[in-house]
Every structure is written in C-alpha cells, then in structure tokens.
Amino acid sequence: MKTDFLIIGCGLAGVTFANLAAEHGYTVRLTDRRAHIGGNCYSYKDEESQVEVHKYGPHIFHTNSTKIWEYVNRFTAFNNYVNRVKARTGNRVYGMPINLHTLNQFFGKDFTPAEAEKHIDSIRDKELKPTNFEEYVLHNLGRELYEAFYKYYTTKHWGVDPTEIPISTAKRLPIRFNYNDNYFNDQFQGIPVNGYTEMIQRMLDHKNIHVSLGEDFELYRAGWRQNFKHLVFTGSIDNYFNYNNGYLPYRTLRFEAVRGKEIIGNAVMNYTDMSESFTRMHEHKWFTPERKFDKSIAFKEYPGNTDSRKNPIYPIRNPDSTAMFQAYNDQAKAEENVTFVGRLAEFRYYDMHQVIAASMTKFEKLMETYGK
Ligand SMILES: Cc1cc2nc3c(=O)[nH]c(=O)nc-3n(C[C@H](O)[C@H](O)[C@H](O)COP(=O)(O)OP(=O)(O)OC[C@H]3O[C@@H](n4cnc5c(N)ncnc54)[C@H](O)[C@@H]3O)c2cc1C
C-alpha cells in the first residue's frame, strides 16, 4: 500500500505539513539530507557552556496571528524574550531599530517625540522620489543616519551597493519617535523554553509520521510515485528540476564562534560601519535570560555569495533571478501530485510564522481536492 505523502525537507515547512497530514489521518515519510530535524531553525545545547545554540543563526519567534501562536504553543511553551537589538557605529553603541533613544544619543539631545520628528524633517531629503533602498532612507532619515546605521551594514549584508536594493527591503525597518526598542511590532514573541528542536520533535511525534535523516531527494527522484501518492518538496526549486534553467543566487552566512564568560552583553549586536567585516554578533545565552550560565558562546556572522547548491540563506532577488524563478515556477505548475512550499521551493524569505502559515494554506488547499 502506498504511503500518502513523501515530504522532502525537515524544516518548518515540511514539519508543519507532516504534522497536519498526520493529524488528518494520512501517512507520511519525512526526509532530510541533513542529519538533524528542524532545517535552519535547528538548535542544540552547546556542551561547554550549556547554552541552547541556534546553529544556523539567531531565531526569534514572533507573529501577529493568534492561529499560528496557538498552533506552536501546542508543542512548546515560550519564554518572555523580547528582541532588543544594539548597533555599534563609530565606537558607540545605540538601540535598534532607530527610536527616540537612538536619536537623542546620536544627536546628543533630549528631544520630545515631536521635536525629534521636526528635526528629522529638517535633515531628510524631502525632494527625493525614492526608487531604491538608499533613496528611501535618505528621503526618510537623511544622510547622517543613513551612513551611520544603514549604508555599510546593508552593503556588507547584501554584497551590493544599497542603490541596487529594492525599496521593499528598507520598508521593513521600523523608525520610531518613542522609546519602544522592541525590534518587532508583533503581538506575540518568544523563544521555545527547551529550544526549537524539542518543539519540532513534538510536532513530529505522531504514529503516522516516519522520519528518515541523511537522505537526499536523489534517492527518491526516479521512483517515488511507486511508493507514495503525493510529494511535498521543500528543497530548492532549481534542484527539483535539475537546474535546467540555471542556479538561483543566494547570500550565505558563515559563523565564527567566540567563547568567554560575558561576550557582548546582549543577544544581538549589529556592526554598522566598515571597521569589522562581519555584520553582527549574537550571544545565545541572552535568548533565555531566565537561565543562568557560567560560560557563554557568541558568533560573528559573515555574509557571502553562493547559489542554491551550497548553504543558501537569503534569496538574491533581481530581474535575472526573478525571471529564472518564474521559469521554474511555470514548470512546477505542470507537475502532477507535487506541492512546492517553503523558503527554498518558493525562492523567498520567510519568517517562521510565515512559513508555517504557507504550509497550512497549501495543506488546506490540497484537502479541498483530496478530502478526507
Ligand atoms: C540567519 C537566519 C536568521 C533567521 N531568523 C529568524 C527569526 O529571528 N525569526 C523568524 O521567524 N525566522 C527567522 N529565520 C527564518 C527561518 O529560518 C525560516 O522561516 C525557516 O527555516 C524556513 O523553513 P523551511 O522549511 O522553508 O526551510 P529550511 O529550514 O531551510 O528547511 C529546508 C530543509 O530541506 C532540506 N533539503 C533541501 N534540499 C533537499 C534535498 N534535495 N534532499 C533532502 N533534503 C533537502 C534542507 O536540508 C533543510 O533542512 C531566520 C533564518 C536565518 C537563515
């Protein structure tokens, strides 16, 4: 008898789909080429410090959706962590995102909200009609703040001049004329109290789900239709089509570990000028401030270019890559009994709550045709 679903990829896209399918009575085989579950959300306890480390970079769960928040809370409790990022520029440290405290520190003032807004209005480039990242920030904040906090950080992060980056990327960054330094605007936020891996393990804890790790899609490519009714592919879409339109471009990240007792004194510190080539440091013990540690571990984060074959992290969206993805997406539409979901299959940046929502939507849509 055929298994209902073969799911490639044990990240949140594949795991959410597997969990929903199993709870609806379907049988699932879930596989990943990596030796662990969780995809890029994977976390583990560092032996030396006992700190829960987010292996692929710091992950803070946040959402405005009650549905998603209630769903993840079925599998873990969350602590009260609130992301308050610091930024180091010109040998001084400020709060991020830019808020009233940042502005008062930066300009050496004690502005009220209205005075700060008036000051920014006097220094921003009002005449400019923004068409890219740089122009958007110059138009909203002026050159001094742009160069201190955005220009070099963005150049390091994306590896291109900010004039080549779309406005949509800049619009994601909040600018506040009050003392709220919470990085996110969402209603719900936190870190799973026992780590992401335990949360994901509990999502997979169902008799209908069989997990096999260290297996690449290549193992199933030729013959999966003989043993499975439907394929859910969460790997890179160009990989599925054997790169027949080329390799999709990505930014990647490399992490360098630093050990000590106290390292940066905060979960995340951005380095927004060019004196360091890394973009930020993260000290993971601060993600669980409710716990005490004698030792600590932090990571320096170095970006670089890659393609979908080697540690793809942030999709590089430009006219060429968008056209290439579109060609793959057109091919995908013609595939029978295959669902493509997740950051790699959809060539887009997804936060965790968004990828869970995307998987839920794809599952619900499929149920309209399959029923059960
Ligand atoms: C540095 C960093 C920081 C982040 N911070 C946050 C944050 O603070 N908050 C937030 O909400 N989100 C954050 N995210 C985003 C979050 O990681 C993603 O939303 C989530 O991981 C996407 O899940 P996914 O299943 O689509 O992809 P992935 O987690 O990448 O899972 C895909 C899986 O498929 C497997 N796979 C791929 N191809 C194959 C193949 N051919 N055969 C077998 N297996 C295959 C991969 O090994 C991988 O395990 C961050 C991401 C990064 C990189």
Side-chain angles (χ1 to χ4, degrees):
M1 209 168 82
K2 285 188 182 181
T3 301
D4 292 309
F5 288 101
L6 169 64
I7 303 181
I8 304 295
C10 239
L12 268 182
V15 168
T16 302
F17 206 105
N19 172 264
L20 296 175
E23 289 187 349
H24 281 74
Y26 294 100
T27 50
V28 178
R29 165 76 67 90
L30 177 66
T31 74
D32 202 297
R33 53 158 68 131
R34 286 172 171 165
H36 60 71
I37 59 169
N40 280 359
C41 305
Y42 171 71
S43 67
Y44 66 94
K45 190 165 279 183
D46 172 57
E47 243 177 61
E48 196 175 321
S49 62
Q50 294 298 299
V51 170
E52 186 78 15
V53 166
H54 305 176
K55 182 178 167 77
Y56 298 97
H59 278 68
I60 299 106
F61 199 93
H62 60 97
T63 182
N64 247 338
S65 159
T66 306
K67 179 180 172 183
I68 301 290
W69 186 241
E70 286 176 353
Y71 177 69
V72 290
N73 273 270
R74 285 177 48 204
F75 309 104
T76 182
F78 285 82
N79 69 8
N80 294 324
Y81 177 79
V82 174
N83 203 26
R84 300 185 198 285
V85 174
K86 302 292 172 205
R88 185 171 169 278
T89 183
N91 292 326
R92 303 191 70 153
V93 175
Y94 300 89
M96 282 297 268
I98 288 182
N99 63 76
L100 190 50
H101 199 202
T102 320
L103 296 173
N104 277 331
Q105 274 181 297
F106 190 79
F107 294 112
K109 298 283 187 189
D110 60 351
F111 287 138
T112 62
E115 286 165 349
E117 211 166 339
K118 197 169 160 205
H119 181 69
I120 294 298
D121 202 52
S122 73
I123 58 172
R124 71 191 187 95
D125 190 340
K126 289 197 272 285
E127 306 310 316
L128 198 59
K129 300 265 174 290
T131 59
N132 58 50
F133 185 103
E134 174 172 301
E135 289 173 359
Y136 180 85
V137 184
L138 292 177
H139 178 66
N140 284 285
L141 287 173
R143 182 159 296 278
E144 212 181 341
L145 289 164
Y146 168 65
E147 293 194 347
F149 294 109
Y150 294 100
K151 181 175 179 173
Y152 304 108
Y153 182 88
T154 306
T155 305
K156 288 193 282 185
H157 184 81
W158 287 107
V160 293
D161 194 85
T163 51
E164 294 175 41
I165 297 171
I167 283 191
S168 53
T169 309
K171 282 188 178 163
R172 281 196 224 123
L173 311 164
I175 297 160
R176 303 199 186 109
F177 294 104
N178 55 46
Y179 288 101
N180 176 9
D181 60 353
N182 181 347
Y183 202 80
F184 300 114
N185 290 319
D186 288 343
Q187 196 184 349
F188 308 108
Q189 184 173 171
I191 306 282
V193 286
N194 293 317
Y196 286 98
T197 303
E198 188 195 85
M199 173 186 98
I200 286 163
Q201 186 58 60
R202 292 175 80 167
M203 293 172 79
L204 297 176
D205 192 10
H206 194 288
K207 66 177 174 35
N208 288 3
I209 302 176
H210 177 82
V211 178
S212 42
L213 297 172
E215 286 184 356
D216 197 279
F217 174 56
E218 295 312 320
L219 202 66
Y220 296 92
R221 184 188 283 279
W224 71 266
R225 287 180 195 273
Q226 285 155 28
N227 300 316
F228 301 92
K229 292 182 189 162
H230 194 100
L231 172 68
V232 178
F233 191 80
T234 77
S236 198
I237 192 163
D238 54 354
N239 173 206
Y240 180 89
F241 291 107
N242 272 322
Y243 309 102
N244 61 13
N245 291 305
Y247 304 111
L248 287 166
Y250 280 86
R251 290 294 277 171
T252 189
L253 295 176
R254 176 174 69 78
F255 300 109
E256 194 180 292
V258 181
R259 290 186 184 274
K261 191 166 160 45
E262 295 277 348
I263 302 164
I264 53 172
N266 196 48
V268 183
M269 172 89 72
N270 291 352
Y271 290 77
T272 62
D273 55 31
M274 287 308 243
S275 51
E276 285 88 8
S277 58
F278 51 90
T279 45
R280 55 180 187 166
M281 280 184 82
H282 13 100
E283 188 171 6
H284 293 217
K285 73 171 188 169
W286 296 110
F287 289 120
T288 51
E290 69 277 13
R291 291 196 200 155
K292 299 287 163 258
F293 300 94
D294 295 330
K295 293 179 178 173
S296 187
I297 180 165
F299 296 87
K300 291 178 180 172
E301 187 173 304
Y302 294 89
N305 276 337
T306 189
D307 63 45
S308 60
R309 291 167 298 173
K310 203 165 176 218
N311 195 23
I313 302 286
Y314 302 108
I316 298 177
R317 283 282 196 171
N318 54 37
D320 287 349
S321 67
T322 302
M324 191 189 290
F325 171 68
Q326 207 44 60
Y328 283 123
N329 207 29
D330 290 343
Q331 282 179 268
K333 284 179 194 149
E335 287 294 286
E336 262 184 43
N337 298 325
V338 184
T339 297
F340 294 86
V341 65
R343 66 179 194 99
L344 295 166
E346 298 179 69
F347 192 54
R348 56 178 293 180
Y349 181 80
Y350 268 137
D351 269 330
M352 291 179 277
H353 64 287
Q354 293 169 321
V355 90
I356 291 173
S359 248
M360 281 179 167
T361 304
K362 292 254 163 133
F363 178 76
E364 283 157 14
K365 204 153 188 326
L366 199 64
M367 285 307 96
E368 286 168 17
T369 22
Y370 273 35
K372 191 151 183 174

